[in-house]
Amino acid sequence: MPGDFHVHTQYCQHGADDKMEAYVLKAIEKGLTHLSFTEHAPLPESFTDPAPHRDSTMDRNKVEAYVMEGKALQKQYKNDLQINIGFEVDYIKGYEQETQTFLDTYGPEMDDGILSVHMLQAPDKSFFCIDYSEDEFGRAADVFGGLLPLYKAYYDNLQSSIEADLGHFKPRRIGHITLIQKFQLAYQKPASLSEEQTHILELIKRKGYELDVNTAGLYKPLCKEIYPPVELIAYAAKMGIPLVPGSDSHAAGGIGKGFEYLSDYSLQIPQRLNS
């Protein structure tokens, strides 16, 4: 396994308190050669976090400390592990300019990055964090007018994220493209949506982007599958899309978790953002 390229830290407000070094030591213990810290980038300043506890991302005032701690670990463990410092950036339709401003500011410090969709705007203009909880997901479905409109809005936003111009430092890896299915065992998937899913993969291929092959869904009690599921991973592999493994770990013990289920695929080390 080349490494774990989707990892959070103690700077995440909804994760464990494990220090960044604990993640590094766990990666070395597991024999990984690469580790990407991809902490949730702060949301745009003019945007209000829709999560009930306002804890979706890191504190904006701690970005510098996060980068500095990561760089210190890079030096300390340079002979044991290649450590990348980066962000998981939220794509929020209508907030592209503020997102680009953040990337323009911190992009020169980034070795790696992921672009993800977590926030969707409903027809009544309210926003929802669609992976927050089973109850919030159900509330979102009600406001969107059903599960099918909610799913379609997710894939529409994914498409917009891939096509958006976010400047030179836009992440090239698209995160957990079936996150909308996190609660699928409680809210049955409304349709196959294979057309929307394959279209997303075609856009990723056309742009020369990478796919986050994210094992976190395996351990979500109402999902129980990889993001994306194996049939889409196989399709992406056939298309020649780079498959980049990530645990989406929010605790040190999650490093590399579930990677044994990825052994059938040719996994890749991501292209460095500042290469």
Side-chain angles (χ1 to χ4, degrees):
M1 187 61 57
D4 191 336
F5 299 96
H6 190 154
V7 173
H8 297 280
T9 72
Q10 77 270 21
Y11 291 95
C12 176
Q13 297 186 81
H14 60 266
D17 292 331
D18 298 343
K19 302 299 184 186
M20 291 174 77
E21 187 172 21
Y23 292 83
V24 170
L25 294 173
K26 181 59 71 172
I28 294 170
E29 177 189 319
K30 290 207 164 189
L32 301 184
T33 57
H34 294 70
L35 182 71
S36 284
F37 287 115
T38 52
E39 194 49 86
H40 291 286
L43 296 170
E45 290 191 76
S46 67
F47 181 80
T48 300
D49 186 352
H53 293 293
R54 306 285 189 265
D55 59 352
S56 294
T57 68
M58 72 184 307
D59 186 325
R60 180 174 295 275
N61 295 324
K62 295 183 179 179
V63 172
E64 296 287 349
Y66 163 67
V67 172
M68 288 178 61
E69 185 170 346
K71 288 184 176 295
L73 290 169
Q74 282 179 326
K75 292 178 182 176
Q76 184 177 350
Y77 290 97
K78 65 181 180 181
N79 295 325
D80 304 295
L81 186 70
Q82 180 176 309
I83 299 171
N84 299 319
I85 309 302
F87 295 94
E88 181 177 10
V89 177
D90 272 278
Y91 173 78
I92 306 171
K93 192 177 288 188
Y95 291 83
E96 290 86 352
Q97 186 54 59
E98 285 185 72
T99 302
Q100 181 174 340
T101 297
F102 176 86
L103 287 167
D104 287 346
T105 301
Y106 291 101
E109 308 295 332
M110 292 172 63
D111 307 306
D112 197 3
I114 299 169
L115 186 65
S116 298
V117 172
H118 299 92
M119 315 293 177
L120 296 181
Q121 187 173 31
D124 69 357
K125 303 304 180 184
S126 63
F127 276 90
F128 289 87
C129 180
I130 53 95
D131 67 321
Y132 185 82
S133 70
E134 178 186 353
D135 288 345
E136 276 294 288
F137 187 85
R139 199 165 71 85
D142 287 343
V143 175
F144 272 83
L147 287 170
L148 187 58
L150 178 60
Y151 268 70
K152 285 187 173 291
Y154 175 74
Y155 287 111
D156 285 347
N157 276 259
L158 263 184
Q159 177 174 331
S160 295
S161 75
I162 296 165
E163 294 175 336
D165 181 2
L166 298 177
H168 179 72
F169 298 105
K170 178 183 179 181
R172 303 187 188 102
R173 185 151 73 261
I174 305 302
H176 41 54
I177 66 166
T178 55
L179 183 67
I180 191 69
Q181 294 176 202
K182 181 175 179 179
F183 305 107
Q184 63 183 347
L185 299 182
Y187 299 93
Q188 186 174 2
K189 189 176 171 184
S192 79
L193 295 159
S194 58
E195 184 176 333
E196 285 84 354
Q197 292 169 339
T198 55
H199 181 58
I200 291 299
L201 291 178
E202 287 163 0
L203 286 174
I204 290 172
K205 173 64 176 177
R206 193 180 310 155
K207 284 281 193 176
Y209 289 172
E210 304 161 344
L211 184 67
D212 174 41
V213 179
N214 188 312
T215 56
L218 285 167
Y219 304 99
K220 304 303 180 186
L222 296 176
C223 183
K224 298 292 189 183
E225 68 181 11
I226 302 167
Y227 308 128
V230 292
E231 61 271 18
L232 287 178
I233 299 173
Y235 186 72
K238 192 182 236 184
M239 294 173 72
I241 294 172
L243 307 176
V244 180
S247 66
D248 208 343
S249 175
H250 286 67
I255 293 292
K257 191 174 182 180
F259 281 11
E260 64 270 21
Y261 296 103
L262 305 180
S263 59
D264 290 343
Y265 307 104
S266 178
L267 303 170
Q268 298 188 32
I269 295 169
Q271 182 181 353
R272 288 173 68 87
L273 279 177
N274 287 298
S275 59

